[in-house]
Amino acid sequence: MKQLHVGLGERSYPILIENGLMAEIGKDLKVRGIAKRFIVIADTTVAELYGDAVLASLAQAGLPTDLITFPAGEASKTLATVAGLASRLAQAGLDRKDALIALGGGVTGDITGFLAASYMRGIPFVQIPTTLLAQVDSSVGGKTGVDIPEGKNLVGAFYQPRAVYIDSQVLRTLPKAELLNGIAEVIKYGVIYDSDFFCFLENHRTAILSLELPVLEQVIETCCSIKAKVVAEDEREANLRRILNFGHTIGHAVEADSGYHLAHGSAVAIGMVAACRLAVAKGMFSVAEAERLTDLIAAFGLPTKIPSTSSRDRLKAYLLTDKKTVAGRPFFVLPTAIGQVEITADVNDSLIDQVLTV
Ligand code: NAD
Ligand code: GLY
């Protein structure tokens, strides 16, 4: 089993990665003594696929466990869902010594983490991520929360899990479009932090797309170890953690402008290419390296161009309402080399106009 460590003092926790880990989770939870009783929170799709396996693993370890579900999809990531789940926890008599298990993708992790942060002012929770996006990104780092009509992730809390259990086998049932959402984030790690990993992705594209588990495990381990280092240095996104937003400034604008019909991974892919164009125009990044990134994104089957249905003015309006915009200036994470980025608000309007012109 591979084990990584997120070093946050008394809030530190392990990330455990192994094929077939699902069956071992009960035993490990028992050894760690996180709680005597657990409630698994899962969306209906994941509950159907993996609910029984997790319940059986905890039952074998003698840990009483129940499962509560909610409808799959981003539309469930609301305060109303959290309120409904909190009532279910109270009705089940869950107390401060009990714990939650987030079994699912980023939606489940964000909802369950926020529920754990607020139920009885905080109970422990662990993550069992089942999408590639959740395994390489959202299950690590403690960002939890829900959407409100005014924007995505606008209500939430930093609240770290007690452990993260990653079983790459579950990716076998993941639809291709969901896999690609995760791949956009995987490519991001190569650009922001690790040029060797970027080369690895160039050389192992076919193995990744055909779900060769040892290769996928290596990908997950590298991404989690980068995320663990970044989060340990800057848990609350005061500075370094902002590099994880590479591709997300323009990406979020494109995603919002599509009415969230465009997949998040596609929007991030488009955002990463747009950030490269800004960096090249500012003379910070070479044309050759920008082409390398664009080629890798395209080779994975992700889009590279802003959709023709978008409009520059609408995209600019979205940029100005983004959480990354301060005093009317959007912040960009721009590459200076593959494996290295800079955070800057020093991008003039005409350049932004040029890159956003459809
Ligand atoms: P998701 O949780 O909605 O999962 C996507 C779909 O895949 C769902 O329909 C789900 O039922 C299904 N699914 C999950 N695992 C499966 C499996 N193994 N087999 C078959 N189907 C499976 O979406 P997501 O892409 O995992 O996460 C997106 C969410 O994550 C967004 O809300 C985003 O804001 C959030 N996010 C959070 C962070 C963070 O740091 N907290 C980071 C990135 C994204
Ligand atoms: N996904 C970005 C972060 O966790 O900071």
Side-chain angles (χ1 to χ4, degrees), residues 43-46 49-50 70 72-74 77 104-110 127 129-134 137-145 147 152-153 169-175 178 181-182 185 188 227 241 248 252 264:
D43 71 33
T44 40
T45 308
V46 174
L49 288 164
Y50 301 110
F70 64 89
E74 184 75 28
K77 217 177 101 173
V107 165
T108 303
D110 284 9
Q127 293 264 17
T130 63
T131 61
L132 182 60
L133 180 138
D137 187 356
S138 62
S139 64
V140 176
K143 279 190 183 175
T144 74
D147 307 330
K152 272 191 75 175
N153 299 322
Q169 252 176 54
V170 301
L171 299 179
R172 288 207 165 116
T173 55
L174 195 65
E178 300 298 344
N181 276 332
E185 303 290 352
K188 175 189 82 178
K227 181 136 188 196
R241 187 165 178 170
H248 287 62
H252 274 160
H264 177 71

Side-chain angles (χ1 to χ4, degrees), residues 15-92:
I15 306 170
L16 305 162
I17 308 170
E18 191 174 57
N19 283 336
L21 182 60
M22 200 78 97
E24 306 299 319
I25 289 173
K27 231 187 294 170
D28 192 81
L29 283 172
K30 180 119 188 179
V31 171
R32 286 181 199 282
I34 291 170
K36 290 207 163 52
R37 179 189 175 198
F38 290 84
I39 293 218
V40 179
I41 311 279
D43 71 33
T44 40
T45 308
V46 174
E48 179 83 15
L49 288 164
Y50 301 110
D52 284 349
V54 172
L55 291 179
S57 171
L58 272 82
Q60 254 175 13
L63 295 170
T65 315
D66 291 302
L67 172 70
I68 302 181
T69 64
F70 64 89
E74 184 75 28
S76 284
K77 217 177 101 173
T78 61
L79 286 165
T81 303
V82 172
L85 291 170
S87 290
R88 299 279 303 274
L89 300 186
Q91 286 154 16

